[in-house]
Amino acid sequence: MRALRAEAGMPFGLPATAWMAEIGAWAMRSDTELLLKSRRVVPGRLLDAGFEFEYATWEPAAHDLVARARRRRSGRTNQSHRPAASTTMEG
């Protein structure tokens, strides 16, 4: 969130309490564990199959995410956008 806030020009963020997360999870019909617990997940099967992510780290992905949101808000689209992955998986 720090990287995303920095990219968006937000100097600070307000913390969300557990009860706030529970309300949000209920509204999204999700589980609070997905919001409150941190997990390091490595997409082994995708990587083994040759999948390449467009962004290897979070910071450039956050930059692209904020840029897309700003374009969407201004009504512009990027016609030269390339797909998120450089390879496809069959199956």
Side-chain angles (χ1 to χ4, degrees):
M1 288 306 297
R2 184 176 295 125
L4 189 58
R5 282 194 311 270
E7 197 58 50
M10 296 289 200
F12 64 91
L14 299 175
T17 62
W19 67 267
M20 291 176 185
E22 288 178 17
I23 291 172
W26 176 81
M28 296 184 330
R29 294 188 169 102
S30 183
D31 187 4
T32 55
E33 184 172 327
L34 297 173
L35 299 171
L36 300 175
K37 304 272 192 237
S38 178
R39 303 271 190 243
R40 167 119 170 96
V41 180
V42 178
R45 290 176 115 182
L46 287 174
L47 296 174
D48 290 344
F51 184 89
E52 294 179 25
F53 288 94
E54 186 171 349
Y55 302 106
T57 60
W58 169 240
E59 287 77 12
H63 175 78
D64 183 63
L65 181 66
V66 170
R68 287 182 195 208
R70 287 181 177 152
R71 281 193 304 269
R72 192 175 321 120
R73 277 195 306 263
S74 69
R76 293 177 301 193
T77 60
N78 183 359
Q79 299 300 324
S80 65
H81 175 68
R82 54 184 190 182
S86 59
T87 60
T88 59
M89 290 184 56
E90 300 290 325

